[in-house]
Amino acid sequence: MLSPERRTSMAERRPSFANFSGNSNHIDTLMVPHLAGIEDPLPETTPEKVDVLIAGTGLVESVLAAALAWQGSNVLHVDSNDYYGDSAATLTVDQIKNWVNRIHNSKNESEPYKNAKLYISSSNIGPDCKYASRDFGIDLSPKILFAKSDLLSILVKSRVHQYLEFQSLSTFHTYENDSFEKLTNTKQDIFTDQNLTLMTKRNLMKFLKFVLNWEKMPEIWQPYADKSITDFLFNKFKLEKPQVFELVFSIGLCSNMDTKVPLALNRIRRYLVSYDVYGPFPVLYSKYGGAGEVSQGFCRSAAVAGATYKLNEKLYSYNPTTQVATFTDGSKVTVTEKIIMSPTQAPEGNKHVPEQKYEVNRMVCLVEKDCKEWFSEDESAAVVVFPPGSLKSGNKHVVQTLIMGSGSECCPQGTSIWYLSTTESGVRAEMDLDAALEALEISIIRESSEEITNDNDIVQISDDGRPIINSVRLGQSFKEYVPRESVQHLMKLSYTQLTSTPPFDVVNPALFDNDELNNRANSVNKFIPNASDNGIIYTAMPSSEISYDEVVTAAKVLYEKIVGSDDDFFDVDFEDDDNDAMPTGASVNGVINYENAIEDDEEDIQMGEDDSNEFVGEMEI
Amino acid sequence: MHGIKRQQYSREILKQKRIQDQQKIKTYKDLTHSALDTRDKGIFTTDALQLTSKILELNPEFNTIWNYRRDIILTVTNDVKPDFWENELQFTMEKLKRFPKVYWIWNHRIWVLDNYPNATDKIWLRELFVVDKLLSMDARNYHGWHYRRLIVKKLESINGKLMDKEELKYVTTIINKNISNYSAWHQRVQLITNIFNKHELNKKEMKDMVLSEISYITNAIYTDADDQSVWFYTNWFIANDIVRLVLTNDEYIKMLKDIKDNVILINNDDVEFSGKENNWCLKILIVIEKTLKEAGYELDKDEHTEEYLKKLIDNDPQRRNRYIYLSTKQ
């Protein structure tokens, strides 16, 4: 049964893909393989015997399936949904409707989604309306990809990047004093910024240099090892609140004030070392849908390596003694090695799904505004971060927002998708998300309105002739601003997603210990009589992390459990090795040789006497 | 180019490379022999021109061949096709893209422009655009900056209009992009010297420029106190005749003392942060004290040169003997 309503798949978009590659010689190697259930009919039967059964086509499961398939394992990869992606899916508006209904009717006691609320403007989206349901691709787990990250390396190594198109994202806004501040994160920004004091410039540069090599300077951070990053930046680097918030929440994308120093330093560095790898931007996202596209790409790769795919296939039970897995349609398969399963796919009567004690609260709005004001030129996405205490709800946790414009091909011209999320839980989370949404709305109306307050009121000239932004005035005018129009919501979805991974932490390998070997050693995980999922290893649900950073770690841990070691994880030797370069999408093409704006080039000039006499000679002292 | 790792070859790879290169070496040797031979015989034909093209393709460092090429061009100049000169520019551009730091290519390109038949200022304006492009690819190529000065000089003499002020704006945008660009700071020295020496500003404008330069430097040393380009420029600026002439002696002394205070503040901040003094700060402080004394300002108890040198002897052992020598001269 094919999904009745869906967006065009990678393979169906292939002509445009061939165009952008711009090299007709490589069309063969760029072939996007067909995927069962999308372009190919679903197989009527399942194999009798496989090495590994994977249930759920989310990110971790798909990366794992591809890694195992290329390693030579015989993989059966199923999904109980009629689409690919599972917890990482990119869905149309109608598919979202069904998804919400499914959650409401779920009989799964360990259902990882709850509190789903959906509003659809039926006068705007639907048959004979301005917009069709499939004009939109809505991500259940919106993600951004750092230019220097393990997933990007794997994408290149596995060649899955050839199925995808990436676009750059360089705008990170920090919401402060009721306005959106753009980041000051390169040496150029710091040098030319007229609003920073000289000492702030110095402290900021000092920190940026330090953080690139922080492990090598324990004398600086060790005394603060157990302290929070905000404490460290305020006291050791004497930075001021706007810079601290920018570094911790926008660059580091941390969740709250208390993030510990080493963890936060790694997160801040992640951004900085990613900047200028492919151009003047730190992150990328895949066009046509984020995590959904990436996981589909890995499924296609797995299919090329021989994995069997089946949608609408739900496990009924597994018998670890006979190694037979039975599906709800009555078919059976013998699994010689392991069953890996996403909690979303757990069979009825399951008893082993790990406790999902952390909440990620999400809100998605389809908005009839192009939001170009928030994007950099030639870009179509932005990140907006609301630090703790910046919202009128008095938020204790950060609200992270990913804005996608029509250039991402996830929504039509003149519209945009706003993804808001927070690690706050319960009613407070709802209040925070509502407050953030309101702040976004007011801001976009104000910024796209023609009757903006006169700039002269906002920019003042200081005594030494430098312009200074009057943030008080800006804040006032913002507060006093009464929007004459309101933002048209085409769809608004909010839901709580549960996960076993704490906010901004990596997956705990102990989660995957629900297999026989460990059952013997660990009495806690004993088989439970009448449980339908004895012996099944559950994957972790996506965490609150906005980047893809946890995915490869989790897939590797699982891979090691099955294969015994992760040495040959995607150790693939492709025959046509002439195409190793990273042909990232059109916006990335042609951008080469950017020097890292922060790192110093020691080779620039030697202080040596022969080299330095161009205009000053040896410094005359 | 900066930021590109030098490739290390193992002995084994070098051996293989040599075997592979043998054919290339033979071709190259044959070509140079026959080219030098035809040159010695005084042959200046389009065939000989082809021959030089082949050699320069392999080795653009061979200036003798560039010379021979120019001799040939001057001889056959009436027989060449109308697009010859344009192709010759294209020829040098291809080489420059591969070898951006070979003097002879830049040299030949200028010669081609100088000899371009019926040239107007348009060709030089276009060349300025070409330099913009080249510098945007590698803003720290000293050749590019040198070439830019030649082009600007040419345009100035054709149009009878000085371009130093526009050029200063250009170089400022480049320095803003990366304050570690030594070539760009050097260009700044050239331009400011020109502007003052050619009396392009009135008295008030000169003073404004010096003052804005002081704040530009201050901004730069605060942004990165470990960057030697900035310190070198500071060193040039504070002891410069231009600054001395534009400011009254009192103003000059005040400027030096202001910079001194800022440098001391930066150094103290470094000590507080890491426990280490900033050697650049110590060095520039010595220069400032010397300059203050030359300007007739009595430091008396405030003089710390001896102390700074002692610290440098400890902190910078590579230049230890130089500091010892300097302290004996005190």
Side-chain angles (χ1 to χ4, degrees):
Chain A
M1 183 178 73
L2 272 171
S3 170
E5 203 260 4
R6 61 183 176 84
R7 307 209 341 133
T8 47
S9 70
M10 275 171 199
E12 289 157 335
R13 289 194 309 265
R14 198 170 98 57
S16 73
F17 189 69
N19 279 341
F20 109 86
S21 85
N23 188 340
S24 53
N25 295 333
H26 287 307
I27 287 216
D28 288 346
T29 65
L30 292 178
M31 177 74 83
V32 181
H34 287 232
L35 208 49
I38 298 193
E39 306 92 0
D40 266 1
L42 280 168
E44 304 225 330
T45 55
T46 40
E48 284 177 12
K49 195 173 172 183
V50 293
D51 297 332
V52 182
L53 168 64
I54 301 176
T57 51
L59 265 172
V60 174
E61 298 83 23
S62 303
V63 172
L64 180 68
L68 287 170
W70 283 107
Q71 175 266 342
S73 293
N74 189 359
V75 177
L76 172 62
H77 197 177
V78 302
D79 198 306
S80 58
N81 298 303
D82 60 2
Y83 50 81
Y84 283 86
D86 191 24
S87 58
T90 306
L91 301 176
T92 68
V93 174
D94 282 350
Q95 283 177 321
I96 287 284
K97 232 188 274 180
N98 295 334
W99 181 81
V100 171
N101 278 332
R102 184 190 68 71
I103 291 167
H104 286 164
N105 299 327
S106 173
K107 290 181 207 116
N108 182 356
E109 306 89 49
S110 49
E111 172 62 49
Y113 294 100
K114 59 177 193 181
N115 301 336
K117 289 177 205 151
L118 178 65
Y119 157 83
I120 296 175
S121 162
S122 51
S123 57
N124 280 300
I125 301 181
D128 307 320
C129 294
K130 199 169 168 189
Y131 305 107
S133 151
R134 49 185 282 175
D135 288 345
F136 299 90
I138 300 146
D139 274 312
L140 291 182
S141 307
K143 298 268 181 206
I144 51 177
L145 177 64
F146 277 95
K148 211 168 195 174
S149 59
D150 51 4
L151 182 69
L152 199 141
S153 312
I154 296 286
L155 279 167
V156 174
K157 216 170 160 189
S158 64
R159 301 211 168 174
V160 170
H161 74 90
Q162 294 183 343
Y163 308 150
L164 301 163
E165 280 180 64
F166 286 99
Q167 294 182 322
S168 64
L169 191 166
S170 63
T171 316
F172 283 65
H173 297 284
T174 315
Y175 184 81
E176 192 61 27
N177 293 331
D178 286 336
S179 72
F180 286 15
E181 302 290 343
K182 258 194 96 175
L183 289 191
T184 317
N185 65 325
T186 65
K187 201 166 171 180
Q188 173 180 6
D189 290 342
I190 295 166
F191 183 55
T192 54
D193 192 318
Q194 312 221 297
N195 300 314
L196 297 177
T197 67
L198 290 171
M199 217 50 201
T200 306
K201 288 185 184 206
R202 176 171 160 72
N203 292 333
L204 201 48
M205 268 306 295
K206 210 156 61 178
F207 176 72
L208 293 181
K209 280 188 186 174
F210 158 77
V211 76
L212 292 176
N213 282 308
W214 67 272
E215 293 103 328
K216 290 185 189 142
M217 290 173 259
E219 71 278 7
I220 291 172
W221 63 271
Q222 208 100 65
Y224 292 84
D226 295 329
K227 303 254 166 61
S228 74
I229 183 71
T230 39
D231 186 3
F232 181 58
L233 294 177
F234 279 125
N235 294 315
K236 181 69 190 170
F237 283 91
K238 306 212 162 47
L239 285 167
E240 296 180 22
K241 192 181 158 197
Q243 285 76 44
V244 172
F245 273 30
E246 230 179 69
L247 286 167
V248 175
F249 301 117
S250 295
I251 293 180
L253 294 164
C254 295
S255 62
N256 58 45
M257 310 276 279
D258 308 323
T259 311
K260 293 277 180 289
V261 170
L263 175 68
L265 291 179
N266 264 341
R267 296 181 66 89
I268 294 168
R269 177 170 58 190
R270 170 182 73 174
Y271 179 105
L272 296 171
V273 296
S274 290
Y275 197 84
D276 268 353
V277 171
Y278 294 110
F281 51 84
V283 301
L284 306 137
Y285 61 88
S286 73
K287 218 169 151 182
Y288 306 107
E293 283 289 295
V294 175
S295 55
Q296 210 190 97
F298 279 102
C299 289
R300 284 172 196 276
S301 173
V304 173
T308 307
Y309 275 85
K310 197 138 194 232
L311 297 177
N312 296 313
E313 191 75 298
K314 190 170 171 59
L315 192 78
Y316 175 74
S317 71
Y318 175 60
N319 183 336
T321 320
T322 60
Q323 297 189 316
V324 172
T326 311
F327 296 101
T328 49
D329 62 3
S331 56
K332 289 180 194 305
V333 62
T334 306
V335 184
T336 56
E337 295 281 337
K338 296 262 162 26
I339 296 191
I340 310 289
M341 177 174 275
S342 159
T344 54
Q345 310 270 327
E348 272 181 48
N350 65 71
K351 298 270 194 284
H352 291 288
V353 175
E355 193 191 355
Q356 314 274 322
K357 55 178 171 181
Y358 303 100
E359 281 188 15
V360 188
N361 279 288
R362 297 187 186 277
M363 183 189 274
V364 186
C365 280
L366 305 184
V367 168
E368 204 167 27
K369 279 267 174 206
D370 61 20
C371 296
K372 291 215 167 76
E373 293 79 4
W374 289 338
F375 306 148
S376 297
E377 226 184 309
D378 298 329
E379 286 192 343
S380 201
V383 170
V384 182
V385 173
F386 298 90
S390 66
L391 291 166
K392 68 177 184 191
S393 61
N395 58 318
K396 290 203 177 67
H397 288 242
V398 168
V399 175
Q400 292 177 340
T401 312
L402 180 61
I403 312 285
M404 297 295 237
S406 62
S408 67
E409 301 285 347
C410 291
C411 56
Q413 285 278 332
T415 68
S416 57
I417 310 181
W418 300 357
Y419 295 104
L420 294 80
S421 71
T422 179
T423 50
E424 180 62 88
S425 53
V427 187
R428 288 220 52 117
E430 257 175 69
M431 285 165 61
D432 289 352
L433 290 175
D434 283 338
L437 178 65
E438 192 188 329
L440 287 169
E441 284 176 356
I442 295 174
S443 162
I444 197 63
I445 289 171
R446 196 179 70 119
E447 284 177 48
S448 59
S449 153
E450 277 155 24
E451 33 165 344
I452 308 174
T453 327
N454 190 351
D455 273 357
N456 293 338
D457 290 349
I458 294 168
V459 181
Q460 289 188 333
I461 306 298
S462 74
D463 296 341
D464 53 352
R466 293 186 313 182
I468 289 177
I469 304 281
N470 183 343
S471 57
V472 180
R473 184 69 64 85
L474 195 62
Q476 269 175 3
S477 64
F478 203 172
K479 277 173 196 145
E480 287 157 12
Y481 183 82
V482 184
R484 297 219 180 141
E485 47 174 331
S486 59
V487 176
Q488 173 71 47
H489 289 202
L490 301 171
M491 187 203 90
K492 187 173 157 188
L493 165 71
S494 61
Y495 55 99
T496 304
Q497 186 225 299
L498 301 174
T499 175
S500 50
T501 310
F504 307 95
D505 201 351
V506 283
V507 187
N508 179 1
L511 269 177
F512 307 136
D513 284 348
N514 184 34
D515 59 329
E516 309 99 299
L517 201 76
N518 283 282
N519 282 323
R520 272 180 235 131
N522 185 353
S523 59
V524 180
N525 276 321
K526 257 190 190 148
F527 289 160
I528 300 166
N530 298 326
S532 57
D533 57 349
N534 282 330
I536 288 176
I537 301 177
Y538 283 101
T539 59
M541 287 294 288
S543 75
S544 56
E545 177 61 43
I546 195 173
S547 82
Y548 287 99
D549 280 10
E550 66 188 342
V551 175
V552 175
T553 315
K556 267 193 178 168
V557 173
L558 287 162
Y559 183 89
E560 198 183 331
K561 276 203 156 295
I562 297 162
V563 180
S565 128
D566 66 2
D567 289 349
D568 54 354
F569 187 78
F570 276 111
D571 187 13
V572 198
D573 201 9
F574 289 102
E575 282 163 19
D576 48 341
D577 235 358
D578 53 340
N579 197 18
D580 257 353
M582 163 85 180
T584 36
S587 51
V588 186
N589 261 346
V591 186
I592 42 154
N593 275 330
Y594 271 89
E595 285 179 45
N596 193 309
I598 307 289
E599 267 177 308
D600 263 337
D601 189 341
E602 293 299 333
E603 284 174 345
D604 188 9
I605 27 166
Q606 297 285 315
M607 183 62 188
E609 332 223 332
D610 45 335
D611 214 15
S612 54
N613 53 8
E614 281 176 37
F615 64 87
V616 279
E618 169 73 358
M619 205 173 221
E620 291 200 13
I621 57 169
Chain B
M1 300 286 265
H2 294 269
I4 294 175
K5 265 205 179 137
R6 184 174 302 218
Q7 208 169 340
Q8 293 287 348
Y9 293 107
S10 71
R11 229 172 242 182
E12 189 51 38
I13 292 174
L14 269 179
K15 214 168 153 190
Q16 285 178 3
K17 205 172 172 309
R18 236 171 244 146
I19 296 167
Q20 284 172 0
D21 285 349
Q22 246 159 24
Q23 185 55 38
K24 269 196 212 159
I25 294 167
K26 190 179 175 313
T27 317
Y28 175 71
K29 277 194 172 155
D30 291 349
L31 283 171
T32 50
H33 279 292
S34 70
L36 293 175
D37 202 37
T38 49
R39 183 198 61 166
D40 293 345
K41 285 180 186 152
I43 297 171
F44 300 103
T45 61
T46 44
D47 283 349
L49 193 68
Q50 294 296 319
L51 197 55
T52 62
S53 304
K54 279 184 194 158
I55 295 168
L56 295 170
E57 189 68 39
L58 296 171
N59 177 15
E61 296 266 18
F62 203 162
N63 195 30
T64 309
I65 300 297
W66 284 110
N67 281 330
Y68 181 33
R69 187 179 180 85
R70 281 187 285 272
D71 285 339
I72 299 170
I73 292 172
L74 289 178
T75 313
V76 302
T77 186
N78 293 325
D79 307 332
V80 294
K81 289 186 187 145
D83 60 353
F84 170 82
W85 292 92
E86 215 37 54
N87 289 339
E88 194 66 6
L89 285 176
Q90 188 57 39
F91 180 76
T92 57
M93 185 47 68
E94 283 160 16
K95 305 286 161 295
L96 279 181
K97 277 184 186 157
R98 280 167 60 210
F99 309 98
K101 297 209 169 166
V102 173
Y103 285 91
W104 319 123
I105 312 174
W106 293 100
N107 182 36
H108 187 70
R109 192 170 172 90
I110 277 283
W111 182 85
V112 173
L113 290 165
D114 269 330
N115 287 276
Y116 203 100
N118 314 316
T120 60
D121 65 332
K122 276 204 186 101
I123 191 170
W124 296 98
L125 276 172
R126 186 184 67 176
E127 200 60 10
L128 194 63
F129 182 74
V130 170
V131 176
D132 272 0
K133 265 281 192 225
L134 287 167
L135 285 175
S136 74
M137 282 155 73
D138 182 6
R140 301 203 292 190
N141 185 346
Y142 187 75
H143 295 262
W145 287 102
H146 178 69
Y147 190 70
R148 186 180 184 93
R149 283 193 291 275
L150 293 177
I151 304 299
V152 167
K153 211 168 166 188
K154 203 79 195 180
L155 275 167
E156 284 178 336
S157 80
I158 291 172
N159 296 331
K161 189 173 149 275
L162 294 171
M163 292 166 68
D164 294 318
K165 287 187 226 167
E166 297 157 40
E167 285 298 290
L168 187 65
K169 270 188 201 146
Y170 173 78
V171 85
T172 304
T173 63
I174 301 283
I175 294 173
N176 285 351
K177 277 187 193 149
N178 179 4
I179 64 171
S180 304
N181 187 337
Y182 187 80
S183 299
W185 283 106
H186 171 255
Q187 173 81 341
R188 194 175 187 86
V189 173
Q190 308 298 311
L191 292 169
I192 289 181
T193 313
N194 279 350
I195 289 171
F196 282 89
N197 289 348
K198 293 178 188 166
H199 308 291
E200 293 178 45
L201 301 174
N202 66 35
K203 220 172 169 184
K204 181 176 180 301
E205 286 170 334
M206 286 200 285
K207 193 156 184 176
D208 286 351
M209 179 173 258
V210 166
L211 293 178
S212 85
E213 210 56 16
I214 294 169
S215 74
Y216 196 66
I217 289 173
T218 313
N219 189 6
I221 60 178
Y222 271 94
T223 302
D224 193 350
D226 298 318
D227 190 287
Q228 52 187 345
S229 313
V230 175
W231 290 117
F232 273 36
Y233 184 77
T234 310
N235 186 47
W236 169 80
F237 184 81
I238 55 178
N240 195 285
D241 280 348
I242 294 165
V243 182
R244 255 176 227 219
L245 289 173
V246 169
L247 300 178
T248 66
N249 203 46
D250 286 350
E251 286 169 335
Y252 183 62
I253 285 168
K254 184 180 178 302
M255 173 199 88
L256 289 170
K257 284 166 77 180
D258 285 350
I259 295 180
K260 188 181 169 195
D261 289 346
N262 279 320
V263 174
I264 289 173
L265 208 145
I266 290 172
N267 189 42
N268 288 344
D269 188 53
D270 259 12
V271 173
E272 191 199 334
F273 181 75
S274 64
K276 286 183 211 137
E277 311 234 15
N278 181 318
N279 290 349
W280 290 110
C281 288
L282 297 178
K283 287 188 211 180
I284 205 80
L285 283 170
I286 293 169
V287 178
I288 293 173
E289 289 196 347
K290 181 167 162 265
T291 317
L292 273 170
K293 279 195 282 185
E294 280 166 8
Y297 180 80
E298 287 303 323
L299 280 159
D300 295 329
K301 278 183 201 155
D302 282 339
E303 179 162 2
H304 298 287
T305 299
E306 197 65 31
E307 177 195 333
Y308 296 146
L309 280 168
K310 276 208 185 93
K311 284 179 180 166
L312 282 167
I313 290 170
D314 292 338
N315 299 348
D316 187 13
Q318 282 191 319
R319 291 166 196 82
R320 189 166 177 271
N321 286 330
R322 175 169 171 79
Y323 301 129
I324 291 172
Y325 164 74
L326 288 170
S327 60
T328 59
K329 282 209 320 185
Q330 288 297 311

